[in-house]
Amino acid sequence: MRRLEEIMAHNQAFVENEEYEKYWPKRSGNKRLVIVSCMDARLTELLPKAFNIHDGDAKLIKNAGAIITAPFGNIMRSVLVALYELNGNEVVICGHHDCGMTGIDPQTVVGHMVERGVPAQTIKTLHHSGVDFDKWLTGFENVQSSVTKSVDIVRNHPLLPPNTPVHGMIIDPKTGALEWVVDGYEYLEREAAEEQA
């Protein structure tokens, strides 16, 4: 049986046995967080436990490296929808130590594309059409600076609801220990004090 056929067989039994009931939210979410996190499989169960979030507490948006690269890209769109339409009121960018995006080389990724069957001519055509693989496939050298940069993109977005705290955190993928890199409350307090001065 192929992988997706196995999944479908499991799913049929899952639904027939009403196993889904134990995943229904037991209460309405009260934390109202919007968390941008990495897609690393080690965080799938660890991050919610480390944050003490349960069903309904947070909107969890995942991508490679928890990186926001474009103010009007997919990730930022999801953040704004979560804030305006899905009851979010705080944003957390949560990177992690030992991330696969650390030091990733875009040219190596492109090389792997060619090895897996993407024609070199396609890569060349895309490059000449303006696709900047170095920018599009970029990672980071330092998770703290990456988180800070993503926080700045969100914090300075012209469509961010005023007075929305935007925090930066780093999680240890082994222990779940959290480091608070950017304190969104402190930033808002400082901004308010500067306006009054």
Side-chain angles (χ1 to χ4, degrees):
M1 192 180 292
R2 294 177 290 190
R3 189 167 293 132
L4 264 290
E5 291 167 343
E6 289 174 6
I7 289 171
M8 292 303 293
H10 165 81
N11 181 257
Q12 184 176 354
F14 177 86
V15 173
E16 286 172 359
N17 296 327
E18 299 179 350
E19 292 180 48
Y20 51 81
E21 289 181 354
K22 63 185 171 186
Y23 299 103
W24 288 347
K26 292 163 186 59
R27 57 186 170 80
S28 61
N30 60 6
K31 294 188 178 152
R32 300 176 61 192
L33 294 173
V34 179
I35 301 173
V36 178
S37 172
C38 184
M39 63 187 189
D40 189 307
R42 295 174 293 177
L43 304 181
T44 301
E45 293 186 44
L46 181 66
L47 186 138
K49 298 292 187 208
F51 271 80
N52 190 31
I53 55 175
H54 304 90
D55 288 345
D57 281 341
K59 304 303 178 217
L60 193 52
I61 303 164
K62 294 184 168 200
N63 74 356
I67 303 169
I68 297 177
T69 57
F72 290 93
N74 238 7
I75 300 300
M76 192 63 216
R77 181 190 67 187
S78 296
V79 168
L80 291 172
V81 168
L83 291 170
Y84 283 105
E85 301 299 322
L86 303 174
N87 207 29
N89 67 1
E90 294 189 42
V91 179
V92 178
I93 308 298
C94 186
H96 67 93
H97 296 292
D98 189 30
C99 182
M101 292 299 284
T102 306
I104 194 167
D105 176 23
Q107 294 308 312
T108 300
V109 177
V110 170
H112 292 154
M113 291 174 181
V114 173
E115 288 171 11
R116 296 272 302 266
V118 175
Q121 185 58 44
T122 299
I123 301 296
K124 187 175 181 180
T125 300
L126 290 171
H127 177 74
H128 289 301
S129 298
V131 175
D132 182 348
F133 287 104
D134 287 336
K135 184 176 180 183
W136 187 54
L137 296 172
T138 192
F140 51 80
E141 294 303 320
N142 176 292
V143 67
Q144 185 168 350
S145 63
S146 176
V147 166
T148 301
K149 184 177 177 182
S150 291
V151 165
D152 286 342
I153 289 172
V154 176
R155 180 187 286 156
N156 293 306
H157 200 282
L159 300 177
L160 185 75
N163 301 313
T164 300
V166 182
H167 310 283
M169 304 189 91
I170 299 172
I171 188 170
D172 184 316
K174 294 182 184 85
T175 67
L178 294 169
E179 297 171 43
W180 202 348
V181 176
V182 179
D183 184 334
Y185 306 129
E186 182 182 278
Y187 177 84
L188 290 175
E189 289 168 4
R190 197 169 53 245
E191 288 282 296
E194 287 174 8
E195 285 179 15
Q196 291 177 351

